[in-house]
Amino acid sequence: GGRVPSFVALDAESSSEAWEHWWGDNPGREAWLADFESSGPMPPEELRRGLDRLRSTTTASLVVLNAPEIETAEVYPWGEAHASRHRLLNEVVDGFLASHDDVHLLDVRRLATDASDLASPEEPLQFHLARATYVRIAASLGDVLRTVRGDRARASSQVRL
């Protein structure tokens, strides 16, 4: 089965406000409760398998973004601190990068470093970033893509014997 990424576990006990904020009417509370079951957070091994599967589907260069690791008092519904969770999954991304050629990192950890980089100081999930942070991410993506193009140009110009 498929996995629907979710930062919160919506269930029959969740408030109407939570449902409206996180899910809206797509497909709606009753349809979700009838058809889906929350499976908790993605295990690190599943993220790694997904990244490896993605790498196996193409020979093109990949650019991977990681997550900010901003220390806040917020915890996920299963009790894990946001920054701890992000560090755990970023370790998986770092391991993936170390074991694959032609995969490049856009390091969001260096671009979103404190609460001022979030859309609002109350942003609980470090999911919505400030516009200035998105501008830095876009500029960094341009830098990464120029590096990728440069690597490809150098590789194609080498004489093979």
Side-chain angles (χ1 to χ4, degrees):
R3 175 180 287 277
V4 177
S6 180
F7 296 106
V8 297
L10 294 173
D11 59 26
E13 304 303 315
S14 298
S15 70
S16 296
E17 293 79 18
W19 278 96
E20 181 62 30
H21 177 79
W22 292 108
W23 200 250
D25 194 28
N26 297 321
R29 183 179 182 146
E30 290 73 26
W32 175 266
L33 292 172
D35 294 336
F36 298 98
E37 181 179 327
S38 178
S39 63
M42 177 185 290
E45 304 80 25
E46 185 177 343
L47 175 59
R48 179 57 192 251
R49 284 192 305 273
L51 290 168
D52 287 335
R53 188 171 51 248
L54 176 63
R55 174 73 277 176
S56 72
T57 64
T58 181
T59 59
S61 298
L62 295 178
V63 176
V64 179
L65 283 71
N66 55 16
E69 297 176 359
I70 300 169
E71 294 292 339
T72 67
E74 300 294 331
V75 297
Y76 285 106
W78 56 88
E80 189 174 16
H82 292 178
S84 296
R85 175 76 179 160
H86 294 183
R87 276 191 292 278
L88 175 67
L89 297 180
N90 284 344
E91 287 173 12
V92 173
V93 170
D94 291 341
F96 173 74
L97 290 160
S99 64
H100 289 277
D101 292 333
D102 207 18
V103 178
H104 305 270
L105 177 65
L106 194 163
D107 197 350
V108 176
R109 293 172 291 205
R110 297 183 193 286
L111 303 172
T113 59
D114 61 45
S116 69
D117 296 318
L118 301 174
S120 73
E122 296 81 33
E123 172 56 43
L125 301 174
Q126 302 179 33
F127 184 72
H128 300 293
L129 302 173
R131 289 182 185 201
T133 307
Y134 287 120
V135 169
R136 290 192 304 273
I137 290 171
S140 183
L141 179 59
D143 294 341
V144 170
L145 293 176
R146 280 187 287 282
T147 298
V148 169
R149 282 195 303 265
D151 289 351
R152 285 191 167 171
R154 282 188 294 281
S156 66
S157 67
Q158 293 177 350
V159 176
R160 303 202 189 261
L161 300 176

